[in-house]
Amino acid sequence: MSAEAQPESRKFVLPYVPRGLRRAEAAAYIGVSPSTFDKMIRERCMPRPKRYRGVTIWDRLALDEALTCLPEDDDAKPASTNPWDAVSNS
């Protein structure tokens, strides 16, 4: 595929993980599929995205924090309080 035909977000390969991630990138960053990522957001296990001028992005640092707060397995209790529990849906 030529550079002209590639989506704007795929034209450049960065030597680092950017701080702002699109949905599929955020899901891959935490190791799940986009549909599982969506479910985790609905369940408030992952943070809601930020939006700027129609662009939806997830903060990589917020993803790190939310992932750290997840339990070790399905039966375990969270290691700490999930900071996203206090965030409203508005």
Side-chain angles (χ1 to χ4, degrees):
M1 181 183 278
S2 70
E4 297 83 29
Q6 292 180 359
E8 184 66 29
S9 64
R10 301 288 179 230
K11 285 186 179 178
F12 303 102
V13 176
L14 299 173
Y16 55 87
V17 178
R19 172 123 183 230
L21 303 171
R22 298 289 185 104
R23 176 180 165 264
E25 296 166 334
Y29 180 74
I30 66 162
V32 299
S33 69
S35 60
T36 298
F37 185 66
D38 293 341
K39 181 179 178 185
M40 294 174 82
I41 293 166
R42 283 192 305 273
E43 293 174 351
R44 299 179 144 204
C45 295
M46 286 291 132
R48 293 175 51 121
K50 296 180 178 280
R51 289 184 179 84
Y52 179 72
R53 295 187 178 197
V55 178
T56 303
I57 56 173
W58 278 263
D59 183 335
R60 179 176 47 85
L61 302 180
L63 294 172
D64 287 341
E65 186 174 344
L67 190 61
T68 298
C69 291
L70 289 176
E72 296 295 321
D73 59 41
D74 284 340
D75 298 326
K77 294 185 178 181
S80 65
T81 304
N82 186 332
W84 301 107
D85 288 342
V87 177
S88 71
N89 282 332
S90 56

